Amino acid sequence: MESMQEINVYLKNDFDIVAARQAVRNVSKSMGFGLVDQTRITTAISELARNIVLYAGEGSIYLRVINNGLRKGIEILASDDGPGIVDIKLAMQDGYTTSRGLGTGLPGTKRLMDEFSIKSSLGEGTQVIVRKWLR
Amino acid sequence: MEIPILKIDNCLVVSIQGSLSDTAALDLQESLARDISQQEPVGVLVDLTAVEIVDSFVAKVLGDISSMSKLMGVDVVVTGIQPGVAITLIELGITLGGILNLQKGIDLLRASCK
């Protein structure tokens, strides 16, 4: 039943970033994540959502509850049809930014979550999938 | 929604609530610059007790607010960061120096605001 729980947030401006934070906070809270993990997950989604608005203009965040047979977790897919990332290795480096930010968005998100994968094609868009498992 | 900037003695006090949008963060920075210029306080206190999340953008703006206020000759104290927010900021790779608890912040400002 819970594995069917899915929420999509369409993103086009910074108010949608706040909405994405709220959605993921509610889901992670209802799943039983502790306060610090809720904050980690919410912060990670805020970074991914901002990247979408900033670099792609629009896109979506998909949240769902997953289960690997042993543990329950939350999976978030951040997807856009934007210009894509030229050099993913560089984008994953701390301090690297093309937008005058702090350059901590992607590497920081990876540290906040248990699993992180990124796929990007120039001219086609970027998909980031992150997961956090209940301890 | 504009974040209220209160004046207490010779200090400005800002209490940020909940989840701060990027626009609200930038608006706060501009309003503070204006108020510092017009009201010439000796100190600014920014309280984060009710802030549930500080991501890299909000952290950058908070740092900018701090640098900007210092540049305008005003002491800044940032207070009340929640434990989960502190842990998350460290893991994100962000160091926001000199955050105090609210009481210490008030004490510090009180010394200069009287």
Side-chain angles (χ1 to χ4, degrees):
Chain A
M1 276 257 283
E2 270 168 326
S3 63
M4 298 303 288
Q5 187 179 355
E6 272 194 52
I7 295 175
N8 302 342
V9 182
Y10 171 71
L11 302 152
K12 64 174 190 317
N13 61 40
D14 70 334
F15 299 107
D16 301 325
I17 301 176
V18 175
R21 284 179 199 158
Q22 203 54 56
V24 80
R25 168 78 74 178
N26 291 342
V27 172
S28 56
K29 193 176 179 180
S30 71
M31 286 176 67
F33 280 104
L35 194 56
V36 177
D37 270 346
Q38 287 175 36
T39 308
R40 285 191 180 103
I41 298 165
T42 308
T43 308
I45 273 43
S46 190
E47 300 293 342
L48 295 178
R50 179 170 300 96
N51 280 354
I52 287 177
V53 173
L54 196 62
Y55 296 110
E58 60 180 343
S60 291
I61 296 259
Y62 304 92
L63 312 175
R64 63 184 188 122
V65 179
I66 52 172
N67 199 319
N68 67 359
L70 294 169
R71 288 188 294 177
K72 221 164 64 159
I74 188 169
E75 180 183 87
I76 297 114
L77 162 66
S79 177
D80 68 64
D81 303 323
I85 298 171
V86 177
D87 187 339
I88 290 184
K89 220 172 157 183
L90 204 55
M92 290 305 296
Q93 276 180 19
D94 271 305
Y96 177 79
T97 177
T98 55
S99 67
R100 293 188 299 157
L102 292 174
T104 52
L106 282 178
T109 298
K110 187 177 180 182
R111 285 191 291 269
L112 291 173
M113 301 298 283
D114 293 330
E115 292 176 33
F116 178 101
S117 64
I118 183 166
K119 208 174 67 185
S120 188
S121 320
L122 282 182
E124 288 176 24
T126 303
Q127 284 79 43
V128 181
I129 295 175
V130 291
R131 297 195 181 105
K132 190 92 181 167
W133 299 100
L134 270 169
R135 277 180 285 183
Chain B
M1 193 191 71
E2 198 167 334
I3 298 163
I5 301 171
L6 312 174
K7 188 152 193 227
I8 300 176
D9 292 332
N10 288 323
C11 286
L12 297 179
V13 176
V14 184
S15 173
I16 303 176
Q17 313 279 325
S19 193
L20 198 58
S21 75
D22 296 6
T23 312
L26 291 172
D27 286 350
L28 173 66
Q29 185 180 2
E30 284 187 22
S31 308
L32 258 179
R34 180 200 61 209
D35 284 11
I36 289 171
S37 161
Q38 287 175 356
Q39 310 198 24
E40 300 182 344
V42 292
V44 174
L45 187 147
V46 180
D47 182 55
L48 306 180
T49 303
V51 171
E52 293 175 340
I53 153 179
V54 176
D55 66 4
S56 64
F57 185 84
V58 173
K60 180 179 184 296
V61 176
L62 286 172
D64 287 351
I65 283 176
S66 183
S67 314
M68 173 196 82
S69 306
K70 282 176 195 154
L71 203 57
M72 297 176 81
V74 174
D75 290 332
V76 190
V77 287
V78 179
T79 59
I81 203 153
Q82 288 183 15
V85 174
I87 291 170
T88 303
L89 277 176
I90 298 299
E91 288 173 2
L92 260 185
I94 293 167
T95 46
L96 269 178
I99 295 183
L100 308 167
N101 70 37
L102 184 56
Q103 185 60 56
K104 277 186 191 159
I106 289 171
D107 291 346
L108 196 78
L109 279 186
R110 185 171 280 155
S112 51
C113 285
K114 279 282 153 106

